[in-house]
Each structure stands twice: as C-alpha cells, then as structure tokens.
Amino acid sequence: MSKAVFSKTQYDVELAAERDHIAFLYGRLDAERAAAAGELHEVLRDHTEDSTDAMWRREVAANTLSARVGRLRVADSGLCFGRLDQTDGDVLYIGRIGLFDEDDDYQPLLTDWRAPVARPFYCATAANPEGVTRRRHFRTRGRRVLDFHDDVLDHGVVDSDEVLLAALNAPRGDTMGDIVATIQAEQDEIIRLGHTGVVVIDGGPGTGKTVVALHRVAYLLYAHRERMSRRGVLIIGPNTGFLRYIGDVLPSLGETDAVFATPGELHVGLETTATDPPAARRVKGDLRMVDVLAAAVADRQELPDTPIEIELDDVTVSIDAAVADRARARARAAGVRHNQARPVYRDSLILDLAEQAVDRIGGDWLDAREVPELGSDLVADVRSELSRSRELSVAVNQLWPRLTPYGLLVELYGSRDRLAAACDGTLAEEERDALYREAGSDWTVSDAPLLDESVELLGPLTRDDGAAERLRRAERRYARGVLDILDTEEDPDGEVLRAVDLIDSEGLAERHEERDHRSLAERASADREWTYGHVVVDEAQELSEMDWRIVMRRCPSRSMTIVGDLAQRESPAGARTWASMLEDYVPSRWTYRQLTINYRMPAEIMAVAAQVLAELDPSLQPPKSVRDSGILPWSHRCAPDRLSAVVAEAARAEAASVAGGTLAVIAPEGLALDVDLPVVTPRAAKGLEYDAVVIVEPQGILAAEPSGAADLYVALTRATQRLAVIHTADLPESLRSLEPRPVS
C-alpha cells in the first residue's frame, strides 16, 4: 500500500506533485489537439489549388489530421494512469497516447502504453523487475488524480491485485470499458505478440478474451499502422447487442477505422438475425454446400428439350441440344464465372447458327471462314442479324440465364426438383429436405455465406445489366459535362492546351471515385470486394465451415485474431476443434494461446458454473477465479402462476444490492414473463456481463436442443457479483447445491 510506504506528509507531497505533473500533461494534450484541429481547419478551408492531385493530397492530409484529432480527443479520459521508476534513474509516465516535448529534442513526456518500453508496467514483478524499481498506479476521476498506489519492486512490496480487484469490483456500465490500466501479464503477452498472422485466443468465460483481442488490434495498429490502417479492421461478433457493448473499446484507445458486423451481415446488403432450425443450420454450414451451389449453377446452364427455332429474314435456324451443348462447353471452358460467361455462350451460339444459316442459304461458307476478306458479306450479315434477334436473346435467357445470388437460392430452396439435381451424390435425402422452404421465407444468418459463395460462382451481372456499370456511366456523363464546360474557349489554331488534352472523361470519373468522402469504415462496409488489414472473430466457435470461407475471403493476408471457447459452442455447425476450421487456410501457421484466469465471476459463482461444465464435457477445466465475494448464489422455487411476480421481486432485490450496476433476467427462448425488465435469452446474453443476473427456469434452458447445456453454462457465467435462480420445475442436478432462499 502506498500509505504504508510513505508517511502521511510524504504521501500528500507526492500526490500534490503528481497532480501538478498530470495537469501539465493535460495542458500539452490540449495544445496538441488545438494545433491539430487548426491544421485540419486550414486544410479544409484552403480550396485555392485547382489541380486534381492537389485536391487528392489535401483530402489525404485531412483524413490523417482528422484521425489525429480523434485520438487526442479520446485520450482526454484517463490520459495518464501509471508511472515507472527505472534503475537508471529515468522516470516514464504511461498513458493512452504518446506526448513529446517539442522544445527539448522531442523527449517523451508521456509514453504510449503500446510502446515496448511500457511493457514492464504490465509484466514486471519483484522476482523479475525488468529494470523497474517502482511502479505507480493512478486512480483518477476526469482530469483529477484522486490517489495512487505503489509497487516497490526492488523492496519486494508488490500488491498490484489491489488495483485489479478495485477495477473488477466496480459496477459495470452499459458498454465494455478498456483495461489499458489493468492489463495482466498473461494478457499482455498475447496483446504484444509480434505474429501478425492468425492468433487463436481460447479461454473460458470471464477470462478477458474479447477485451484482450481488442487491445491487440490497438497494439497492431500502433506497431504496423502504415500497413494496417489503409485497409481497416473488421470486428465480427455474435449479435448486435454484443457489438454495441464492445463498440466503445477501440475508440477509447484512439482507433476508429473499424467495421462491426454480425455473421448475418457479412454478405454486403444482407442484415438478418433470423436462424434456421438445427438441421438446416447444420447442412447450410457444411463445406459440401460449395459443391451443391456449383451444381445448382450448372443446373441452370440448360439444354433444350426440343429445338428452339430462330427466324431470320431469309432462313430459320434452330438451337438443338447439340448446338447448345457446344456453346455450353465453350462458355465453361472460358474459365470465367457464370454471368461473365454469357457473352461467350451467346457468341458461340451465333457462330454455330450463322454457319447453319449459310449452309441452308447455300453461300460460300468455307471461303468466308478461311479468307474473310475475300468471302461474301453473307456471314457478317447473318451474324449481325442474329446479334439483334429478340428470339435469340430469349433463348439465351432460357438456356444461360442471368443469375443473382438471391434468385439462385430462392429457386433452389423452393424447388424439390432443383434440390435433387444440385444435391445428387452430395447430400442425403433428409439433408435436402432440411434445405427446402417455401417462397417468401426470411433470409437467415446461415444464408449469408451461401449468398457470398454464390457471388464467387456467378460473378456480377454482365456490364450492360449491372447497377455498378450504370453508376459508372453516370459518372462518365458527369465528367464529360465538366470537360465540356472547361473546353468552351475557341482556338482555331489548336495552340491552347485544353482540359481534354490532359484527361478524358473516363479518367476524370476515376479520379472522382478516388475522392470518396466517406469514412474508411463506411466505404469498407458497403464494398463486398473490400479486404481488411485485420479481422477479429469473437465467439468464433459458432462459425461454420461456410462462415469461415467468407471470413477468409475478407482477409487474404490472414491477419486475424480469433476468440472463442469451445465449451460455449451453441451452433450445430460450429467448431469442435480450432484445427478443423483453420488448417485448410493456414496449415500449421496459426498460433494458439489460452487464457486460464477468470476475472469476471467470483469463485462462488464459478463453482456453480463448473458443475454444469463437468456435465457438458468432463475433460474441460473451468478458469480459476481471482477473487471471492463472500456472496453465495441462491435459488427459489415458486408456483407457475407466481413466476412473473417472483422474478420481478427477486430482480428488484438484486438490483438494490448492486446499486448503480447492471442487471439481466435470462430466460429460455419463448418463455413469456410479465415483468417490467429486459429479459434476454442465453444466446442474446453471450459475450455480455452484468453485475447481477436472475436466471429463470434453468431446466427449460437445459432442455433446448441441441445446445441446452452450453446455453445454461453461458447464462451462469454472465454475473460479476450476484446470481439468483428462480424456477417452477425441479432444478437440474448440477444446480441442486444452490442455497434455497425465500423471496418476500
């Protein structure tokens, strides 16, 4: 304890000095922020330069300065949280960002927590002090230092748990906070891993997996900013509530170029939270669906049952199975995707039909083919007529139709015949039946990777059909108009350099596209082809084999942080081992780290959850809690007609016990409770934490198929302080040790 090391007078003097120094640091922060904001204002105000390159440079500078202002703004909360006294006499203050003395050769005034020299703040011990004699932790409110706590490493006086426990016992808010001031050694080792490939962070509930992953992102952006910041970061979480909960962590660390998405949003344009029944979920997540989708596309490349006649001015030609088969073979051999192969297919038909027409008319076809410049114009005339033929267009649309991902899946799911054709030899009959659904059904989370896979097979619509091409044409028309305005001066001798001599409308349109004023996150989230500098996947055990294909597509560099706990797997298509999901993409090139210390639940709650874990999988070990609370979890049985009233009363009592904290009622899906409180399912609560939790009808949670035991384990491990269980049915065997307690 600091006050045990110092006398009262000494402590007060030290505290006053620290308050003055940190006030000075805040002054430097304000000055830097004002300077950066001033530069940004000047850049945005200065529109005197006319060249396109100058405009582009100005926008790059504006984006850079805007990010700098943002990092300086978030640093205002808890700017400095620690100090290191080193054996060589140097003193380092540790904080959210780095500040430097511009008047003294840029000497550091405040060291960014991610800098290598700051590492001992998190890892030094009395046994291994790493060149540190004293580590000081500040407790602040706003800009004011309230007090401090010292670890005197060279004298063996180390009690950093006091700082950690104070943070763990503090009431939770509506959003996750960063742990930048209380990172523990096992967490710091993962955060600072130099490996920029795939890192798996495995650990039980409460071990800090998520917050470690987010701090790792902040560290990687610090260490590799030039490479990673250009592409941004994708954060994938299980549900929107979870993403809202963690959404402030990266901004609080000064990093804003992140896109947040659930698995149901990974295909651009789709936003869904609906889930399939377990059987359909299992089949849709299976890697065999790649072959099913490829077969579904091939099934749409049809041969005519009877010849299709095409009437021309002088002759009628026909597309029979042989002609269509040759065209199909040529289009498939082109090595491009379905929609991009349509012109190849159409041209092949025109080639064969023109030959057929010439043969029927009786022209010199052989000479026209071998020596076109000497032959008749008949072939060219026939081809031209065929290219304009509405009947041919109808035939092409029938035999090689334009396909969209949504249309492909709707027609596949809604037709037992198409399912049978696409799944033949790949899926069993009961698996095909699981895919069938009526037209008009909602898209589900499991459809997202299938829609994205379909894009890989289909490609965009042909250029004359695509919305993107229409937009490009509009941009070119706009650019043409701009050039026309600039090119109004008459110059009969051609001596004046005109705008069109410097850039054409296509180039000007491309420059316009480059100057996209949207933020990086906005651009990335709207662009399916965008690839990210880093991807974080939370609750990764829930992702199916098909989900992993879409994730890997978004990050070709394979720079990823994967977070999960196999014991909490709810999805029937989810991971049973990490290797089964990763080896195909990064064989023997991924790093595994495990977190074993539970920082969330006190030992009393973890002991109850451990009994459920033992039934779920006896081979799994629960994480070890760092604290006891002295408060035992309890249960109460009531009559069914009293359930809502008892739940409400229990919730009020628990909320009063954690005044200022958060509370959740967790109940089985579909259970109706008449309470004036938010009620969530175990699935919706996944990844979240609350000061107090009231679990309702645990037997109902346990009975849910196929993941009841995992759901109950999730529900039991959300509380940081207090846990109550209200039930009308018998308790599961694993919960019968709970202390019965009356509810007034």
Side-chain angles (χ1 to χ4, degrees):
M1 295 286 293
S2 297
K3 292 178 183 177
V5 175
F6 296 104
S7 69
K8 177 66 168 64
T9 301
Q10 289 174 316
Y11 179 83
D12 289 344
V13 169
E14 288 273 333
L15 180 59
E18 297 294 17
R19 285 174 173 168
D20 289 344
H21 186 73
I22 292 178
F24 164 73
L25 293 177
Y26 271 111
R28 293 290 306 179
L29 173 70
D30 291 341
E32 287 204 20
R33 187 162 58 199
E39 289 182 53
L40 177 60
H41 176 72
E42 287 298 314
V43 167
L44 294 176
R45 185 181 62 83
D46 184 7
H47 293 290
T48 58
E49 296 175 282
D50 293 326
S51 76
T52 302
D53 286 340
M55 292 169 62
W56 180 80
R57 287 196 303 271
R58 185 163 56 249
E59 289 179 9
V60 170
N63 290 337
T64 302
L65 285 167
S66 181
R68 172 71 174 157
V69 170
R71 282 192 287 273
L72 292 169
R73 182 179 297 114
V74 299
D76 196 58
S77 176
L79 173 64
C80 177
F81 48 79
R83 164 181 153 174
L84 290 175
D85 294 8
Q86 300 177 305
T87 54
D88 60 7
D90 286 346
V91 173
L92 297 179
Y93 283 86
I94 311 299
R96 292 179 177 275
I97 63 170
L99 294 175
F100 300 90
D101 188 346
E102 297 178 3
D103 298 328
D104 187 15
D105 198 25
Y106 283 86
Q107 290 299 307
L109 298 173
L110 182 66
T111 299
D112 192 301
W113 67 275
R114 296 167 288 189
V117 293
R119 184 178 178 276
F121 184 77
Y122 302 108
C123 300
T125 64
N128 182 25
E130 299 193 23
V132 175
T133 60
R134 183 191 306 271
R135 173 172 50 213
R136 176 164 290 177
H137 307 265
F138 298 116
R139 187 168 70 90
T140 62
R141 181 178 297 130
R143 292 190 168 204
R144 180 173 173 78
V145 179
L146 300 179
D147 55 33
F148 64 81
H149 169 87
D150 279 350
D151 300 327
V152 187
L153 276 68
D154 57 350
H155 293 167
V157 181
V158 179
D159 190 18
S160 292
D161 285 350
E162 177 180 312
V163 179
L164 175 63
L165 292 176
L168 297 179
N169 287 320
R172 288 335 191 238
D174 293 331
T175 58
M176 176 183 282
D178 65 64
I179 59 168
V180 64
T182 57
I183 294 170
Q184 301 301 291
E186 71 163 358
Q187 298 171 330
D188 186 77
E189 187 269 334
I190 297 172
I191 290 169
R192 295 176 190 270
L193 272 176
H195 180 61
T196 57
V198 174
V199 174
V200 175
I201 306 176
D202 193 349
T207 53
K209 304 181 297 294
T210 297
V211 75
V212 167
L214 295 173
H215 283 68
R216 173 167 167 73
V217 169
Y219 173 77
L220 290 173
L221 285 167
Y222 173 85
H224 307 280
R225 186 169 300 281
E226 181 63 26
R227 176 173 63 84
M228 289 183 58
S229 63
R230 292 195 303 270
R231 305 305 303 171
V233 175
L234 174 63
I235 313 290
I236 303 170
N239 53 62
T240 54
F242 173 82
L243 294 178
R244 282 194 301 270
Y245 180 66
I246 69 170
D248 288 344
V249 175
L250 279 175
S252 76
L253 298 172
E255 305 299 345
T256 57
D257 289 335
V259 173
F260 293 83
T262 65
E265 298 169 332
L266 287 180
H267 177 70
V268 172
L270 180 69
E271 294 182 10
T272 182
T273 59
T275 56
D276 285 296
R281 199 174 175 189
R282 184 181 295 109
V283 176
K284 288 183 179 181
D286 195 295
L287 200 59
R288 291 175 296 166
M289 287 301 297
V290 174
D291 294 331
V292 169
L293 293 175
V297 174
D299 185 51
R300 304 303 302 275
Q301 299 163 356
E302 300 177 3
L303 300 178
D305 294 328
T306 58
I308 300 172
E309 293 189 343
I310 309 295
E311 290 189 12
L312 303 177
D313 289 344
D314 300 316
V315 70
T316 296
V317 293
S318 61
I319 304 172
D320 58 18
V323 170
D325 191 39
R326 282 196 298 274
R328 184 171 68 175
R330 290 165 182 157
R332 288 176 175 176
V336 295
R337 295 179 286 187
H338 173 87
N339 288 324
Q340 294 163 309
R342 269 175 57 90
V344 178
Y345 181 82
R346 182 186 179 91
D347 289 347
S348 178
L349 287 181
I350 290 174
L351 177 68
D352 278 8
L353 293 176
E355 181 176 357
Q356 187 182 124
V358 170
D359 286 344
R360 292 181 180 181
I361 294 171
D364 190 1
W365 164 241
L366 182 63
D367 290 343
R369 279 189 304 165
E370 295 184 349
V371 192
E373 64 275 13
L374 300 179
S376 157
D377 290 335
L378 180 59
V379 172
D381 291 342
V382 170
R383 288 182 179 178
S384 177
E385 187 176 355
L386 282 167
S387 68
R388 299 191 305 273
S389 169
R390 178 171 176 78
E391 290 177 337
L392 180 64
S393 295
V394 171
V396 171
N397 287 337
Q398 174 188 335
L399 302 176
W400 195 286
R402 300 181 183 92
L403 294 175
T404 67
Y406 293 93
L408 177 70
L409 289 189
V410 164
E411 294 179 11
L412 175 65
Y413 291 155
S415 168
R416 295 192 184 278
D417 289 341
R418 290 200 184 279
L419 280 170
C423 300
D424 185 38
T426 304
L427 299 182
E429 184 176 354
E430 63 272 15
E431 293 176 313
R432 298 201 301 267
D433 290 342
L435 292 177
Y436 178 80
R437 70 186 189 192
E438 299 292 338
S441 301
D442 291 337
W443 294 105
T444 69
V445 173
S446 301
D447 288 325
L450 304 186
L451 288 166
D452 207 71
E453 192 72 33
S454 298
V455 176
E456 294 297 301
L457 295 168
L458 299 176
L461 293 174
T462 50
R463 290 177 64 87
D464 58 327
D465 299 310
E469 177 58 21
R470 289 196 295 273
L471 178 60
R472 282 192 290 271
R473 288 202 300 270
E475 292 283 4
R476 286 194 291 271
R477 286 196 300 272
Y478 171 79
R480 181 66 260 172
V482 171
L483 290 176
D484 287 343
I485 293 171
L486 296 176
D487 195 36
T488 56
E489 182 176 350
E490 295 185 6
D491 178 33
D493 297 325
E495 295 180 354
V496 176
L497 191 63
R498 302 177 303 159
V500 292
D501 295 324
L502 299 175
I503 188 168
D504 60 14
S505 59
E506 183 80 25
L508 187 59
E510 290 176 358
R511 292 289 183 90
H512 181 75
E513 291 174 3
E514 289 175 3
R515 298 193 304 277
D516 192 332
H517 294 280
R518 293 173 299 170
S519 69
L520 183 146
E522 289 171 331
R523 286 183 283 127
S525 60
D527 183 358
R528 182 192 171 270
E529 303 300 323
W530 190 278
T531 57
Y532 292 89
H534 193 76
V535 172
V536 176
V537 185
D538 211 318
E539 300 293 348
Q541 74 277 354
E542 305 298 347
L543 268 62
S544 68
E545 292 174 319
M546 291 302 297
D547 288 324
W548 282 110
R549 285 178 68 84
I550 191 173
V551 171
M552 294 295 175
R553 210 171 280 138
R554 298 295 183 267
C555 190
S557 68
R558 304 294 191 261
S559 179
M560 298 183 181
T561 301
I562 294 169
V563 180
D565 177 13
L566 297 177
Q568 296 185 62
R569 181 180 58 82
E570 175 267 332
S571 171
R576 285 167 171 78
T577 67
W578 298 119
S580 65
M581 294 300 184
L582 298 176
E583 278 296 317
D584 285 347
Y585 302 102
V586 281
S588 303
R589 300 199 314 275
W590 51 283
T591 298
Y592 176 85
R593 290 293 186 273
Q594 186 175 32
L595 292 170
T596 59
I597 300 173
N598 163 35
Y599 300 100
R600 179 191 299 148
M601 294 84 67
E604 293 85 353
I605 295 177
M606 193 66 239
V608 176
Q611 295 178 55
V612 175
L613 181 64
E615 291 190 4
L616 180 64
D617 186 342
S619 68
L620 297 173
Q621 293 296 315
K624 182 179 179 181
S625 297
V626 299
R627 62 192 170 109
D628 300 313
S629 69
I631 304 170
L632 293 175
W634 58 276
S635 67
H636 178 81
R637 185 170 190 170
C638 65
D641 62 345
R642 290 272 301 148
L643 182 61
S644 291
V646 172
V647 169
E649 182 59 35
R652 281 193 292 270
E654 293 300 292
S657 299
V658 291
T662 57
L663 177 138
V665 176
I666 303 179
E669 189 166 356
L671 178 64
L673 287 173
D674 184 15
V675 295
D676 189 21
L677 293 164
V679 179
V680 297
T681 64
R683 185 179 301 172
K686 184 169 285 189
L688 307 180
E689 60 182 11
Y690 309 90
D691 293 286
V693 169
V694 177
I695 296 177
V696 184
E697 299 289 30
Q699 190 64 257
I701 296 174
L702 189 61
E705 291 294 340
S707 59
D711 289 345
L712 183 55
Y713 183 58
V714 168
L716 289 166
T717 53
R718 300 305 98 198
T720 67
Q721 304 290 343
R722 304 177 68 89
L723 175 67
V725 176
I726 308 298
H727 59 107
T728 63
D730 290 341
L731 284 174
E733 182 67 33
S734 55
L735 299 186
R736 291 181 184 173
S737 63
L738 287 172
E739 175 189 7
R741 184 180 299 178
V743 175
S744 58

